[in-house]
Amino acid sequence: MSRRFSGLWSHRDFLKLWFGESVSLVGSQVSMLALQLTAVLTLHANAAQLGLLGAAEYAPLLLLSLFAGVWVDRLPRRLLLLISDIGQAALMGSVPVAFLLGLLRIEYLYAVAFLAGCFAVVFGVAYQSFLPELVKGEDLLEGNSKLEASRAVDEIAGPSLAGVIVQVLSAPLALFIDAASFLMSAICLKWIRIQAAPMASKERPSIWKQIAEGLQTILKHPLLRAIAAYSSTLNFCWSIISTVYTLYAVNELHLSSTLLGIALGVGSLGGLLGAMIAERFARWRGLGPALLATALLASAGALLTPLAHGPLLVALSMLIAGRFLEGISATIYNVNQISLRQSTTPTTLQGRVNATIRFLAGGSAPLGSLVGGLLGTLVGVRPTLLLGAIGVSLAFGWLFFSPIRQLR
């Protein structure tokens, strides 16, 4: 193996995984836009039908995450990744085929969105559990930084690229691109040559007992418990903010759609910068201080939003600064907390621990959206943003009053 490059740049198996996931992320940006536009432009869906389509896509996160964790600990993880990629490729590829045959209906899109969401949940849990098998513990920070960098770049350039592809091919046919990206990811996974990590014992307790083991592991482990509590609280509070954010920017700050897009896009730039410096920052200051610093940055970013006022340029600058801080803090936090989880969790529990934290953190977001909508109606938009920001700031306590503070 060539050693001209240091770190994971010389790790061929990781580079295959990274390339495949990066290509798949681009395809996913296409499908996010193309599925919605297929429903609106091709099938003339109304608002209620679009709501059902979104619910079908995200329901598997709540329904399947905990079970996926058990499967990931029972079965070979690379096999689950391959099955998930191939399954999503087949589902996305079936939509343009149904369109060309004149058989496409909104009910079919519901089914595709739900089943693709199921495969995506399994892939997400297996992916985070597979990385520690692929790279050494000391390289997890670098690996997660590179993966988050790809995600950040994709969030910056992906929507524009997706729009061009949809414009050229039409919304239904653009889903062929997403299907091809999943197949490329599957090919890259197939090319990886590593010794599979040992799976759990052949003695299989009930799936409910294994789910409970994952939850108990988090509750008993002070580091994992703090991460789960902070992530869940943070997602809940950010969902409160995001629910009324657009209404606030347009109705109270009088931003045009172009200026709003600029403010939102800067968050992705912050995410890219965060991915670039996350590893260096953690190695320079230590893992604990890095996590605490990201929590403080998140608090500052959240508080800048309801405090935005004055002339348009001043208010826009405060919004942009808030989104930038949010983006950089979220990425640095994810890189470091995922690496910490992966390095402290036994191999046979990786799937269940990752799945349980994803379930807790992801499940708090829809609840936060409901609370945000209710508060916005009862107390107004700006007070709702302020309450959400206070919640983000208070979440800092989960990390500060835990052993994470002493981690170096």
Side-chain angles (χ1 to χ4, degrees):
M1 181 182 294
S2 173
R3 293 294 174 185
R4 291 176 297 170
F5 302 102
S6 61
L8 293 181
W9 287 107
S10 60
H11 194 305
R12 294 181 181 178
D13 283 335
F14 173 79
L15 294 179
K16 295 169 189 174
L17 181 75
W18 186 22
F19 177 77
E21 174 65 0
S22 299
V23 172
S24 178
L25 286 171
V26 174
S28 296
Q29 286 288 343
V30 174
S31 66
M32 285 174 59
L33 181 64
L35 269 181
Q36 292 282 332
L37 290 179
T38 298
V40 173
L41 301 178
T42 305
L43 300 176
H44 309 291
N46 56 36
Q49 289 172 322
L50 288 176
L52 287 173
L53 184 62
E57 184 176 358
Y58 291 106
L61 180 65
L62 295 177
L63 298 177
L64 201 64
S65 289
L66 296 178
F67 299 99
V70 176
W71 300 334
V72 168
D73 285 339
R74 286 183 174 183
L75 301 170
R77 287 157 187 165
R78 187 172 63 148
L79 175 62
L80 289 174
L81 292 171
L82 283 167
I83 292 173
S84 298
D85 270 339
I86 294 171
Q88 290 181 87
L91 287 165
M92 292 303 170
S94 72
V95 174
V97 171
F99 168 72
L100 293 173
L101 294 176
L103 301 175
L104 188 59
R105 295 175 56 87
I106 189 66
E107 292 81 7
Y108 188 75
L109 282 191
Y110 296 157
V112 167
F114 179 78
L115 293 174
C118 291
F119 281 121
V121 167
V122 174
F123 186 94
V125 176
Y127 195 80
Q128 289 185 347
S129 306
F130 180 64
L131 185 63
E133 295 181 22
L134 193 63
V135 303
K136 297 178 181 179
E138 61 268 22
D139 292 327
L140 284 172
L141 269 175
E142 182 184 354
N144 283 310
S145 295
K146 285 179 165 54
L147 293 170
E148 285 293 324
S150 292
R151 190 175 303 278
V153 170
D154 179 65
E155 289 178 356
I156 295 170
S160 300
L161 179 60
V164 172
I165 292 173
V166 169
Q167 183 69 34
V168 172
L169 296 180
S170 80
L173 297 183
L175 290 169
F176 275 134
I177 301 297
D178 193 23
S181 73
F182 283 121
L183 289 178
M184 175 57 71
S185 176
I187 291 171
C188 291
L189 285 166
K190 185 65 177 175
W191 282 343
I192 292 175
R193 295 286 181 265
I194 65 164
Q195 182 69 33
M199 292 293 103
S201 168
K202 295 295 183 181
E203 297 180 7
R204 299 281 174 83
S206 73
I207 194 169
W208 296 107
K209 183 176 180 180
Q210 289 193 285
I211 289 174
E213 287 176 354
L215 180 59
Q216 289 169 3
T217 300
I218 292 171
L219 293 177
K220 293 178 180 179
H221 198 297
L223 299 178
L224 297 177
R225 185 172 63 243
I227 287 172
Y230 178 76
S231 298
S232 300
T233 307
L234 189 69
N235 279 4
F236 175 80
C237 295
W238 275 120
S239 293
I240 291 176
I241 293 171
S242 62
T243 299
V244 297
Y245 186 91
T246 300
L247 196 63
Y248 170 70
V250 174
N251 289 355
E252 299 201 14
L253 299 182
H254 309 293
L255 265 62
S256 66
S257 58
T258 301
L259 292 177
L260 177 59
I262 291 173
L264 294 173
V266 167
S268 298
L269 292 174
L272 177 59
L273 176 60
M276 294 170 63
I277 67 173
E279 180 191 0
R280 297 176 187 174
F281 189 71
R283 296 189 188 282
W284 173 50
R285 299 300 301 169
L287 194 58
L291 289 170
L292 292 175
T294 62
L296 292 175
L297 287 176
S299 301
L303 287 169
L304 279 173
T305 301
L307 296 179
H309 68 287
L312 179 61
L313 184 59
V314 174
L316 177 62
S317 298
M318 295 180 72
L319 278 188
I320 288 176
R323 296 294 296 189
F324 183 82
L325 291 176
E326 176 195 350
I328 194 172
S329 65
T331 307
I332 295 177
Y333 172 73
N334 282 334
V335 168
N336 286 284
Q337 64 95 1
I338 291 173
S339 300
L340 178 60
R341 279 160 43 192
Q342 290 168 333
S343 62
T344 57
T345 303
T347 298
T348 54
L349 282 166
Q350 283 279 349
R352 280 166 285 172
V353 167
N354 288 328
T356 303
I357 291 181
R358 287 168 67 94
F359 173 80
L360 294 172
S364 68
L367 182 59
S369 296
L370 293 175
V371 172
L374 180 62
L375 287 175
T377 303
L378 295 177
V379 302
V381 173
R382 192 186 292 266
T384 298
L385 291 170
L386 184 58
L387 288 171
I390 292 172
V392 171
S393 301
L394 292 176
F396 173 81
W398 289 116
L399 300 180
F400 185 79
F401 296 107
S402 77
I404 284 177
R405 186 176 57 183
Q406 281 82 40
L407 281 181
R408 291 296 182 271

